[in-house]
Amino acid sequence: MKSTEVAGREAEDIKNLVSKIIRGLGSPEPPLNLEHVRELLRLDRHYYRSTDTGLINEFISRMRIGTKQFLARPTLLIDAIRKFELSALWIPDSRRIMVDKAVPKLKWRWNETHEIGHSIIPWHAPFLHGDTQTTLNLKCHEIIEAEANYAAGQLLFLQDRFIDDSRSLPATIESVKQLAADYGNTITSTLWRFIEETSEKPMVAIVSQHPKRPKPDFDPLQPCKYFIPSPTFRHHFGKVTELQLFAGIKDYCSYRSGGHLGNGEVRLADDRGAFHIFEFESFFNRYEALTLGSYKSQCRTAVAVL
Ligand SMILES: [Zn+2]
């Protein structure tokens, strides 16, 4: 299934909503603490759930949050002054925030942030309380879900911070694994984000079953669970199908039951019919096979044999 693109005005609005939250948290280091996000949203629900990005309102929100925190626990203000972080007016109250000692399952982390995404996107509000079955057709539901996922990706990967970090690394599965560890997110969601935002050159990611060890429910007509094109891939390689990609992957993959499954060159045609070479690499995490394909070069046209 090809991922639904979030673009244009909606993408801009979601980016702005998320960057307000990141600024409100004082631009934290990864991994993002979701307890802190929830606490910030609780303290000023109204401001963080509006597309308002005016500086004055941001300042008023900081004051409101600072006041609420001060009233709840006056020593917080003293902490803030001590740490010279008064400008942020946001010191997470670790006594109030119940930090879950158990390591949260990575998948829950994504699901929870997806829900936070719905809750901060103002135009999702009418869909969240009504009978979604009747108010949303399938396409509309797909868009709403894609937008919540987009917000989750923006938030969990701290926007520009992840873009800077990933651009400094080569486009390999190893880099994706490293970034997943740094940001405390799943390898799949990290791969997704890596493709969506970071690359100028055409790239594609595929999440599928093990190409050489299909399970009984494998559907050969829809072999990819997710087919994630980068913006430039979407633009220039719009006719490439998941069947072509999967056939290319199957070609070089080994039968190994875990870890690196192999790498190889895959030829793909652009929208004008010219062939290009992509370097593909696959990894099996024992549940899903993750593949990263990045553009290498244009195919040389027929080479005369002398
Ligand atoms: Zn949802």
Side-chain angles (χ1 to χ4, degrees):
M1 188 178 78
K2 202 166 183 172
S3 60
T4 306
E5 189 182 20
V6 179
R9 177 76 197 275
E10 286 76 17
E12 274 314 300
D13 279 350
I14 293 169
K15 276 187 190 167
N16 288 334
L17 284 159
V18 169
S19 76
K20 276 194 330 189
I21 294 176
I22 293 173
R23 281 201 306 279
L25 296 171
S27 303
E29 290 289 303
L32 177 73
N33 185 328
L34 282 184
E35 301 286 344
H36 291 177
V37 177
R38 273 200 304 268
E39 176 69 357
L40 187 74
L41 295 179
R42 188 189 68 82
L43 287 167
D44 196 350
R45 197 168 300 268
H46 180 74
Y47 176 68
Y48 286 105
R49 285 167 194 187
S50 70
T51 48
D52 180 356
T53 52
L55 279 177
I56 291 182
N57 285 335
E58 180 159 329
F59 178 74
I60 292 170
S61 170
R62 296 268 170 99
M63 297 303 285
R64 191 181 297 135
I65 287 174
T67 311
K68 281 188 186 171
Q69 284 179 299
F70 175 66
L71 290 174
R73 198 182 143 206
T75 50
L76 275 180
L77 186 64
I78 296 163
D79 290 348
I81 294 167
R82 270 205 202 107
K83 291 181 182 168
F84 299 103
E85 282 177 9
L86 196 58
S87 61
L89 278 176
W90 156 256
I91 301 277
D93 186 348
S94 49
R95 264 200 246 163
R96 219 206 67 80
I97 300 173
M98 300 295 287
V99 179
D100 193 353
K101 289 282 185 288
V103 179
K105 290 245 169 75
L106 291 180
K107 185 113 191 171
W108 296 348
R109 183 171 159 82
W110 179 269
N111 293 346
E112 191 179 339
T113 316
H114 172 101
E115 293 311 320
I116 291 174
H118 280 309
S119 79
I120 59 166
I121 298 172
W123 63 92
H124 284 200
F127 305 118
L128 298 180
H129 307 295
D131 180 358
T132 51
Q133 297 295 339
T134 54
T135 50
L136 287 182
N137 63 35
L138 198 63
K139 186 68 200 159
C140 186
H141 188 253
E142 224 173 71
I143 293 169
I144 295 283
E145 288 307 290
E147 286 175 351
N149 280 333
Y150 187 77
Q154 292 280 320
L155 197 51
L156 285 174
F157 291 98
L158 300 167
Q159 296 192 316
D160 293 349
R161 177 64 195 255
F162 180 80
I163 296 171
D164 292 346
D165 283 355
S166 53
R167 280 191 183 158
S168 67
L169 295 169
T172 61
I173 297 269
E174 202 44 50
S175 302
V176 172
K177 282 157 84 176
Q178 179 59 50
L179 290 163
D182 292 347
Y183 284 77
N185 299 324
T186 60
I187 297 175
T188 309
S189 64
T190 308
L191 178 64
W192 198 301
R193 197 81 205 107
F194 195 82
I195 295 289
E196 266 186 342
E197 192 82 43
T198 60
S199 182
E200 308 276 291
K201 65 176 180 177
M203 286 172 84
V204 62
I206 295 104
V207 179
S208 65
Q209 292 194 10
H210 192 306
K212 290 283 174 68
R213 294 165 170 256
K215 290 188 207 146
D217 64 348
F218 177 73
D219 178 357
L221 295 177
Q222 287 186 313
C224 304
K225 186 176 172 194
Y226 302 117
F227 159 17
I228 309 142
S230 73
T232 41
F233 189 97
R234 206 185 278 274
H235 196 70
H236 297 290
F237 293 86
K239 291 178 185 160
V240 171
T241 66
E242 62 176 292
L243 289 174
Q244 285 172 315
L245 291 170
F246 194 74
I249 296 167
K250 209 173 161 186
D251 239 18
Y252 65 78
C253 272
S254 70
Y255 286 88
R256 281 188 64 176
S257 59
H260 183 72
L261 294 181
N263 50 291
E265 291 185 346
V266 176
R267 267 168 31 117
L268 298 173
D270 67 22
D271 293 346
R272 291 178 303 169
F275 278 95
H276 301 262
I277 298 171
F278 282 71
E279 180 66 33
F280 272 53
E281 182 190 0
S282 297
F283 171 83
F284 190 58
N285 67 10
R286 297 189 187 270
Y287 300 102
E288 287 168 335
L290 308 174
T291 297
L292 174 63
S294 68
Y295 186 84
K296 197 172 168 192
S297 60
Q298 183 151 18
C299 274
R300 282 197 217 137
T301 43
V303 179
V305 180
L306 297 173

